[in-house]
Amino acid sequence: MNKELIINSTSSEVEIALLEDKLLVELNKERANNEYSVGDIYLGKIKKIMPGLNAAFVDVGYEKDAFLHYLDLGPQVQSLLKYLKLAQSGTGKSMTIGEFELEPDIQKTGKVNQVLKPNSNILVQIAKEPISTKGPRVTSEIAFAGRYLVLMPFSDKISVSQKIKSAEERNRLKRLITSIKPKNCGIIIRTVAENKLVADLDSDLRSLYKRWETITQKLATAKPPQKLIGEIDRTSAILRDALNESFHGIVVNDAMLYEEIRNYIQKIVPDKVNIVKLHSGKTPIYEQYGIDKQIKNSFGKVVTIKSGTYLVIEHTEALHVIDINSGHRVNQDQNQEANALDVNLEAATEVARQLRLRDMGGIIVIDFIDMLQGLNRRKLYDKLRDEMKRDRAKHSILPPSKFGLVQITRQRVRPEMNVQILEKCPACDGTGEIRPTILLTDDIENHLGYLIREQNEKNLEVAVHPYVYAFLTKGCFNYKWKWWRKFGQRVSIKPSNASHILEYHFFNKQGDEIKM
C-alpha cells in the first residue's frame, strides 16, 4: 500500500491529509496555538471532589474544569503527589526520580476522597480534548510517547506490544530496556521497536526522559493552572505513529514546515528523509492532489460510492447512525441475498474509511442491508474487521444482529472532524435572485476600470467559468483586445473550474486575489 501525507499550511492552521493508494482516509486540522491537546501536561488545582461519581474536577485553565476519574489516577498517584509536594516545597528541587522512594500503589476499588483533597495541586495530562459542552478529561498517570517507547514515571514495569509475536524478540527487547531504563520509570515497548538496535531505543528513551526532566525543573516555580509541556504537534505525532516502509511521499507547501519535518524525520528515520518534498507550484496543494474534490464527496449527510451504493450518516448527541442503501446497483444475474452481500461488503470498506476520515467516536450503529444467511453475515463481519485493522484508534465491533445492525465503539479523544460542504451561492449570495446575465461583461468591465484607473493596478488577471472564458476569448469579438484599447494595458483571462458560471475573481501581478 502506497501512503502519502499532504500538508497544507496556512496562517491560522495546518491541514494534514493522509492518502492510501491516492484515497483520502484521514484528515487532521491543527490550529495555531492550540491549547488542551491530547498529551499536554498541566499543573492543575483540584476544585471539587465528587464521591458519588468517584471523581474530581480539576482547574487547568479551561472555561470548564477538567474531569478526573478515580480509575484515571493511576496506581502510582501517591508517589506522584509526594514528588510534586517535594518539588514545589523546594526540599526536593535537586532530587531525581531515581533517588525518590516510591509509595505503595492505590487500590483499584478505592475512593477518590481517600486520595485527593480539595484545593491541592496535581499534575495531570490531557486524555480527551474538550468536546461539545464538556471540558477536557485528564489523567494523572503521566506518559511520554516516543517513536519506539512510552515512558511512564513512578512505575517499574516493562511491557511489550502484543503485536510483537516472537517470544525471542520480546525477551530481547525486555533485556535491552532493563539494562538502560532509569530507575522508577516504567516502559512500554511499541510495535515499531521490533528488531531495532539498542542505540535507537536508547536515543528514544533519552529524549523522553529529557521531557520529564523539563517538567521537574518547572515545578519549583509553577503556579496552577499552568501548562508545563505540550505534546508534539499533530504533524510530528502522525509521523511518529504512522511512518513506516509503506510511506512513499510527504508533500508540504510551507518552506519552514518543510525544514522542520525533514529535521524530525532525520532523527527518527534517517533513510526516509528524501521522501519529503516542497510543493511550489501555482496550483493549490489540495487541488493538485485531488484532495479538495475528495473532501467535497466524502463529507456531508449523503456519501456516494462509485458503484451507486450510498451511505446516509446521521449524528446525535449519544451516537452516530449510518444507513446503507444499494441505490441503483442491482445485478440481474444474482438473487437478492447475493446482491445484498455485494453491497454490504463494498459499504463496509467505505464505513471503515468514514470512521477514520471524520474521526467519529463513541457508539456507531450501522444498518446494513438485511441478509438471511448466517454465513453471509459472518463474511460481512470479517470484512469490516479487516478494514478496521488500519484504524489506529481503539475500537470494538459486535457481529451483525438478526436485524442487520452492526454496533461499533470507537475511542474518541478529539472533536469529530466536520467539514461543511454546502456553499452559499456566489451568484445570488443566498438570496435566490441574481443580476441579469446580460450585464455580466459590463460588471467585469466596470470593476476593471476601477482597479486600473483608480487603484493603478497593472497586469490584471480575470478568472471566470470556462463557458464565460470561451465567450470572452473564442467568440467573434475578443474582449482582451477591447479592454486593451479601452484601458491601455493587457488584461489576462483564465478559466476556473471551481467558479460558478456568473462568478469572477481578479488577481494582481503577484497572483494575489483582489477582493471587491
Side-chain angles (χ1 to χ4, degrees), residues 312-366:
V312 179
I313 303 175
E314 296 277 7
H315 308 279
T316 71
E317 182 68 24
L319 50 81
H320 306 280
V321 181
I322 303 176
D323 183 38
I324 310 301
N325 293 273
S326 59
H328 55 72
R329 173 178 172 163
V330 177
N331 189 335
Q332 302 293 343
D333 297 329
Q334 293 181 331
N335 58 32
Q336 183 179 351
E337 182 80 5
N339 276 323
L341 177 61
D342 287 348
V343 170
N344 285 340
L345 292 179
E346 183 182 35
T349 301
E350 182 63 23
V351 166
R353 171 177 172 255
Q354 285 290 327
L355 297 188
R356 294 175 64 189
L357 185 58
R358 302 183 186 218
D359 202 10
M360 295 163 64
I363 300 173
I364 300 107
V365 179
I366 308 154

Side-chain angles (χ1 to χ4, degrees), residues 6 8 19 71 122 186 193 249 275 286 347 364 389 414-415 444 448 480 485 502 510 514:
I6 312 299
N8 179 31
L19 306 182
L71 297 177
I122 187 168
I275 69 173
Y286 271 16
I364 300 107
K389 283 180 180 178
R414 295 182 181 85
I444 295 175
L448 285 174
K480 287 196 292 187
R485 290 194 299 269
L502 298 181
Q510 286 82 27
I514 302 171

Side-chain angles (χ1 to χ4, degrees), residues 255-494:
M256 187 177 296
L257 188 57
Y258 165 76
E259 290 296 335
E260 290 177 5
I261 293 173
R262 278 183 61 90
N263 292 336
Y264 182 74
I265 293 183
Q266 183 69 48
K267 293 178 183 177
I268 63 171
V269 194
D271 58 333
K272 283 281 186 181
V273 72
N274 290 328
I275 69 173
V276 186
K277 307 294 182 185
L278 178 63
H279 175 76
S280 56
K282 288 187 177 181
T283 306
I285 187 169
Y286 271 16
E287 185 177 335
Q288 175 81 26
Y289 289 88
I291 296 171
D292 277 336
K293 186 175 181 181
Q294 290 196 55
I295 289 175
K296 296 293 185 185
N297 188 52
S298 300
F299 285 87
K301 181 178 177 179
V302 178
V303 178
T304 304
I305 307 175
K306 286 184 178 180
S307 66
T309 302
Y310 64 94
L311 283 57
V312 179
I313 303 175
E314 296 277 7
H315 308 279
T316 71
E317 182 68 24
L319 50 81
H320 306 280
V321 181
I322 303 176
D323 183 38
I324 310 301
N325 293 273
S326 59
H328 55 72
R329 173 178 172 163
V330 177
N331 189 335
Q332 302 293 343
D333 297 329
Q334 293 181 331
N335 58 32
Q336 183 179 351
E337 182 80 5
N339 276 323
L341 177 61
D342 287 348
V343 170
N344 285 340
L345 292 179
E346 183 182 35
T349 301
E350 182 63 23
V351 166
R353 171 177 172 255
Q354 285 290 327
L355 297 188
R356 294 175 64 189
L357 185 58
R358 302 183 186 218
D359 202 10
M360 295 163 64
I363 300 173
I364 300 107
V365 179
I366 308 154
D367 182 13
F368 286 98
I369 298 175
D370 291 349
M371 295 183 295
L372 301 178
Q373 298 180 19
L375 178 61
N376 288 338
R377 291 198 294 269
R378 182 69 195 186
K379 287 180 180 178
L380 171 61
Y381 178 59
D382 291 341
K383 174 69 172 179
L384 193 55
R385 289 181 61 189
D386 289 342
E387 294 293 337
M388 291 289 290
K389 283 180 180 178
R390 295 196 291 271
D391 193 345
R392 297 195 303 273
K394 294 178 182 177
H395 58 269
S396 178
I397 308 173
L398 295 182
S401 70
K402 64 180 180 180
F403 301 114
L405 300 178
V406 172
Q407 299 175 65
I408 299 176
T409 59
R410 186 175 183 273
Q411 181 186 33
R412 180 167 73 169
V413 297
R414 295 182 181 85
E416 179 189 342
M417 176 62 65
N418 187 20
V419 178
Q420 293 294 334
I421 63 171
L422 298 180
E423 303 171 350
K424 182 183 286 188
C425 174
C428 70
D429 199 30
T431 64
E433 298 176 345
I434 61 173
R435 282 174 59 79
T437 55
I438 196 172
L439 299 180
L440 176 63
T441 56
D442 292 342
D443 289 340
I444 295 175
E445 198 168 293
N446 290 337
H447 285 309
L448 285 174
Y450 169 76
L451 291 172
I452 294 171
R453 292 168 178 162
E454 303 293 332
Q455 301 297 318
N456 296 318
E457 292 286 353
K458 307 291 184 184
N459 300 319
L460 286 170
E461 184 176 61
V462 186
V464 294
H465 187 275
Y467 288 175
V468 179
Y469 169 79
F471 172 77
L472 295 176
T473 60
K474 307 295 184 184
C476 60
F477 186 80
N478 193 319
Y479 276 79
K480 287 196 292 187
W481 292 111
K482 176 185 177 183
W483 293 337
W484 169 268
R485 290 194 299 269
K486 184 170 183 176
F487 302 120
Q489 65 172 264
R490 177 177 171 269
V491 177
S492 300
I493 306 174
K494 73 172 183 179

Side-chain angles (χ1 to χ4, degrees), residues 48-57 69-70 110-114 118:
K48 295 179 187 175
I49 302 291
M50 306 292 288
L53 298 174
N54 204 17
F57 286 96
H69 194 270
Y70 180 84
K111 299 297 182 183
V112 69
N113 53 7
Q114 298 171 343

